[in-house]
Amino acid sequence: MASGPRVLLLAERFPPDIGGLARSGARTAGSLVRLGARVDVVAWTRAASPGALETVEDAGEVSPFAKGVTLHRLGLFGQADLSMQHTLDVLGYLHARRRYDLVWGHYLYPPGFLAVVFAKSAGLASVLSARGNDVDQLMFPPGDFARLLWTLERADVLTAASADLGRKMAVLLGRDPGVEVIPNAVDTALFSPGPGDAALRERLGIAADEVVLGFSGELRHKKGLPFLLAALTEVRRVRPACLLVIGEVRARDAEHLLSYRAEHPEAAARIVVSGALESPALIAEHLRLCDVYLQPSLWEGMPNALLEAMACARPVIASDAGGIPEAVDSGKNGFLVPKALLNHLGQACLDVLGMPASEREALGRAARERVVARFQADAEAAVLERVLARAMPRSSA
């Protein structure tokens, strides 16, 4: 379907960046290609010189999700305003050569705002995708409410990672804009149940008698970093345990670990950080080591990492932030802790770890069944196809 629409997707993060936002961007771009679109992605990076534009002709080289996507990585300047102005110049340069039909902003700011600005200036259709806490960040100080509202009002089609995000956008607009909920999709063949790899456990230095509390992604405050540390402390008062961070700790949040290490040196020594894992298969291997997976987020869209852990049939404990309750039925396929009561996360861990093995296994099976039923690629593709038809009705007819 080489005659499909040309789509320009702007992403704040894209592989090889880690985290759910990067993976969902790659997955969206790759899914659009499989629907017949010709997709270019522009993503910012600090790995390139400021203002430098680097092109990867097939982004399948950096992510298996993005096969067939052309990736343009743009070096950031030290100042956000310079980066944004330069980005608009680059978008104009690319459009003159590629002739796009649709501009897609993946995350509300800055990519969503710039996508709508560029689309309006070039006379193109635009799609805006809310992914996580981007609505909340711009709603409240020091966020820019006026910019948020301007962007929402002028996008041709609004999409969201969860129904919760869609409701928030409808509240802000004072009307129902017909937000399309694009469910995150998990490769359930890759993220699947199985025994933990003993050799991997040994390489990570996890003792045979330790229970593994797991977290996946970029650990930072919004993901509940303080509550994870407090839970580790509480669990270790009762039984040997470690916290396995499958990913990295955001640099500016590392101070929390330093202060924790000063107060709880023995517990801090049992925080195992894998570092960035480029392969989804490696992430799945690490998830299978977890006795319980934790997602104590303060703000959320629909976390990929949680769904991947559920697909691996891990017992999960999560907050009720954002769209998480759309995936987790508390007591049936996992447990929810209210955001206001995340100080009880440690006790929730002990309660789950104290369950008979058969009950924990049943919990994990139910978690996987939910992902298989609602968060597969075919469900995502159906919504994306509808979004394309709404954004460009003439070309989709």
Side-chain angles (χ1 to χ4, degrees):
M1 296 178 64
S3 60
R6 276 204 178 275
V7 179
L8 170 62
L9 188 147
L10 275 69
E12 182 176 16
R13 292 180 170 229
F14 200 87
D17 299 333
I18 67 168
L21 183 61
R23 289 208 299 282
S24 68
R27 203 179 55 248
T28 297
S31 296
L32 289 170
V33 167
R34 288 188 290 278
L35 289 172
R38 294 164 292 172
V39 181
D40 283 23
V41 170
V42 172
W44 294 290
T45 179
R46 294 195 182 279
S49 301
L53 184 66
E54 301 172 348
T55 297
V56 178
E57 291 299 335
D58 186 347
E61 296 178 18
V62 295
S63 170
F65 299 121
K67 186 175 177 58
V69 173
T70 299
L71 172 62
H72 308 278
R73 300 192 70 85
L74 182 59
L76 282 167
F77 287 97
Q79 295 173 272
D81 59 338
L82 293 178
S83 291
M84 299 307 101
Q85 291 173 56
H86 181 65
T87 299
L88 282 177
D89 291 337
V90 169
L91 298 183
Y93 167 83
L94 291 173
H95 179 48
R97 285 153 181 77
R98 314 282 279 194
R99 306 312 304 174
Y100 301 111
D101 303 299
L102 174 68
V103 190
W104 190 301
H106 192 75
Y107 204 73
L108 293 189
Y109 182 81
F113 170 68
L114 281 177
V116 175
V117 169
F118 180 70
K120 288 298 179 186
S121 65
L124 302 174
S126 62
V127 173
L128 189 63
S129 185
R131 304 305 308 175
N133 68 322
D134 36 357
V135 174
D136 294 311
Q137 279 188 329
L138 291 174
M139 277 176 63
F140 304 110
D144 190 332
F145 183 83
R147 191 193 332 256
L148 169 63
L149 199 57
W150 185 94
T151 307
L152 294 177
E153 287 174 340
R154 285 160 178 78
D156 292 297
V157 181
L158 299 177
T159 80
S162 68
D164 174 74
L165 275 172
R167 286 190 293 270
K168 287 179 179 177
M169 289 193 283
V171 167
L172 293 175
L173 289 168
R175 59 180 174 84
D176 180 6
V179 176
E180 298 281 2
V181 177
I182 302 177
N184 283 336
V186 177
D187 183 340
T188 52
L190 188 61
F191 291 93
S192 59
D197 186 325
L200 174 60
R201 186 182 177 107
E202 185 176 354
R203 285 200 303 273
L204 292 170
I206 300 173
D209 63 341
E210 285 185 309
V211 296
V212 180
L213 312 179
F215 170 85
S216 181
E218 187 183 36
L219 183 54
R220 54 200 192 276
H221 183 79
K222 69 161 269 194
K223 296 292 186 179
L225 170 57
F227 301 107
L228 284 169
L229 299 180
L232 175 63
T233 303
E234 189 167 351
V235 171
R236 281 179 52 82
R237 292 193 186 109
V238 177
R239 60 195 303 171
C242 70
L243 172 63
L244 174 59
V245 177
I246 306 169
E248 297 178 325
V249 180
R250 180 172 284 189
R252 65 172 175 260
D253 290 303
E255 63 188 56
H256 290 286
L257 292 184
L258 292 175
S259 58
Y260 181 75
R261 189 171 290 117
E263 293 181 26
H264 306 280
E266 292 185 2
R270 299 315 306 137
I271 299 174
V272 180
V273 180
S274 71
L277 300 175
E278 295 181 5
S279 161
L282 271 177
I283 296 172
E285 286 182 18
H286 283 69
L287 284 170
R288 294 188 194 105
L289 297 179
C290 301
D291 293 291
V292 59
Y293 179 82
L294 307 178
Q295 191 78 48
S297 303
L298 299 175
W299 305 279
E300 257 319 340
M302 178 61 74
N304 284 280
L306 173 68
L307 299 177
E308 291 166 355
M310 293 173 70
C312 290
R314 298 299 85 201
V316 300
I317 304 172
S319 74
D320 58 356
I324 290 176
E326 297 166 35
V328 179
D329 288 333
S330 197
K332 297 179 180 178
N333 61 7
F335 291 95
L336 295 178
V337 178
K339 296 190 296 291
L341 299 176
L342 283 171
N343 56 305
H344 296 295
L345 182 64
Q347 184 57 54
C349 290
L350 290 169
D351 291 344
V352 170
L353 293 168
M355 294 168 62
S358 59
E359 291 185 23
R360 290 202 308 274
E361 289 169 5
L363 202 68
R365 284 196 301 272
R368 178 170 172 82
E369 288 168 4
R370 171 58 59 85
V371 173
V372 170
R374 296 192 186 179
F375 300 96
Q376 292 261 41
D378 54 352
E380 180 186 52
V383 183
L384 288 172
E385 197 162 21
R386 192 163 64 240
V387 169
L388 288 176
R390 283 183 58 191
M392 298 178 297
R394 288 189 298 278
S395 62
S396 302

